[in-house]
Amino acid sequence: MNTPAPAIHTAPDRTILSVPGPEARAFLQRVITADVETLQPGQCRPGGLLTPQGKLAVDFLLFADGDTVWLDVPAGAADALAKRLSMFKLRAKAEIVINTDLAALWSEHPFEGSAPDPRLGDKVHRGIGEEAGDAVALDALEVRHGIPAFGRDYGEAEVFPTDVNLDVYGGIGWKKGCFIGQEVVSRMKRRGTIRKRSLCVNFSGEAPSRGTPVTAGTATLGEITSSQGHHAIALIRLDRMEAASETPQAGGQDCRIDVPDNLRPDAAAPKV
C-alpha cells in the first residue's frame, strides 16, 4: 500500500535570500546571532540580525549546504535585510541574492529536502523550493504553540531577541564570538536580567486582540501581541507572573498562561 505524499504548502508571507560564496559563512558568522559555521545540510536554525543596541532588526530561518546559506525571511523585511547585509559584507567573497524563483515551503510531515522547525519540533517541517501546493500562512499554528513572529507580534527594533525566545530555540550562538549587538544580549544573559518572554495564553472564549493587557489582580503581567481563535501570544514579565496569587485575566476573561520548562528563568539555553 502506497503512503500518500505529505501536503506541502507555500508560506505566502516569506521570501528566500541566498548568500553564496566561499566566505559566505564567515561573513554571516560575524554579523548575525546564529552559529552559521556549524549549520549542516538537513538542519534548520533560527537566527537574527540585531541593531547595535541589541534589539532585533529582523529574524529568519537558516539553511545551508556547502558554501551557500539560505535565509527564510519575512517578506516585508527582505529588501531591508538584503541592503543591510550588503553594507556589512565589505570585501567578503559572498553575494546577497533575493530569490524570486524560490519559495518557503512547510508541511506537518517530513518531505524531500525539509528539516524540522526547531521552534516547533516535529510539528512543522520547513524547506525551500519552487512553489508547492496551496499558499497557507503559519499564523494559526504558531499562535497555538506560542511562537511569536516578526510583523505580527513585533516589528523592527522593538524587542530583544530573548523577548521572543530566539535564544531558547538555538538562534543565538553564545560561544561563537562577536556579532552585531552581541555585547548587550550577552550582558543580559550573564547578569540574569532576562525577565520577559513571549508565551501562549489560552482562553475558553475568543482570545482578545493585540494590545490587550494581561493582568493578575492589580498587577500588569504583560500585553497580548497577537491572537487566533482561543489562543494568543503575550509578552509576559515572568517575575510578576510567578509572584501573582490571582488568576490571570485579559479582556474580561480568565486565562491560562503556558510556560514551557525551557522558558522558565532558570532554564539553560541551548549550547550552540
Side-chain angles (χ1 to χ4, degrees):
M1 183 175 178
N2 293 329
T3 303
I8 303 172
H9 311 290
T10 296
D13 51 355
R14 309 289 294 186
T15 294
I16 303 301
L17 269 65
S18 63
V19 185
E23 297 178 355
R25 290 192 189 231
F27 150 56
L28 290 172
Q29 187 80 343
R30 64 177 182 265
V31 173
I32 68 173
T33 63
D35 189 339
V36 187
E37 296 284 10
T38 62
L39 186 60
Q40 300 297 316
Q43 287 185 319
C44 168
R45 180 173 293 167
L49 176 66
L50 306 186
T51 68
Q53 296 75 33
K55 296 289 187 76
L56 259 181
V58 64
D59 62 273
F60 35 76
L61 294 175
L62 294 156
F63 303 82
D65 189 359
D67 288 341
T68 300
V69 181
W70 287 273
L71 287 74
D72 176 343
V73 183
D79 287 339
L81 176 60
K83 289 176 182 176
R84 281 189 169 130
L85 291 178
S86 296
M87 285 172 35
F88 297 131
K89 185 173 73 71
L90 301 177
R91 296 181 181 178
K93 295 177 182 178
E95 299 177 62
I96 294 114
V97 182
I98 297 178
N99 295 269
T100 56
D101 58 333
L102 294 176
L105 308 178
W106 71 275
S107 175
E108 295 185 70
H109 305 280
F111 58 94
E112 185 177 357
S114 70
D117 185 330
R119 305 167 306 164
L120 287 157
D122 287 332
K123 297 180 180 69
V124 169
H125 297 259
R126 307 292 290 255
I128 296 172
E130 296 180 357
E131 289 191 14
D134 299 330
V136 180
L138 279 153
D139 293 308
L141 191 149
E142 288 177 339
V143 173
R144 187 165 75 247
H145 293 286
I147 308 300
F150 183 91
R152 186 189 68 215
D153 295 277
Y154 52 94
E156 180 180 338
E158 289 182 354
V159 297
F160 292 105
T162 51
D163 292 343
V164 293
N165 312 327
L166 191 65
D167 56 323
V168 174
Y169 305 131
I172 299 180
W174 297 112
K175 297 183 178 182
K176 78 184 183 83
C178 293
F179 53 87
I180 295 168
Q182 178 258 353
E183 183 179 348
V184 177
V185 293
S186 292
R187 186 167 60 244
M188 291 172 64
K189 181 177 184 291
R190 288 195 311 270
R191 295 181 178 177
T193 56
I194 301 171
R195 296 191 180 95
K196 291 189 290 184
R197 292 291 187 181
S198 294
L199 301 174
C200 184
V201 185
N202 302 281
F203 297 84
S204 57
E206 192 76 10
S209 60
R210 176 184 174 91
T212 303
V214 180
T215 61
T218 59
T220 298
L221 308 184
E223 185 177 285
I224 287 176
T225 57
S226 66
S227 58
Q228 291 271 337
H230 298 286
H231 310 282
I233 294 175
L235 186 57
I236 297 291
R237 279 282 300 261
L238 295 184
D239 54 342
R240 294 179 185 175
M241 183 187 68
E242 292 184 354
S245 58
E246 300 183 57
T247 300
Q249 292 189 328
Q253 297 185 64
D254 289 353
C255 57
R256 186 187 77 249
I257 303 172
D258 288 345
V259 187
D261 290 342
N262 61 358
L263 286 176
R264 296 186 181 279
D266 56 352
K271 296 179 180 180
V272 296

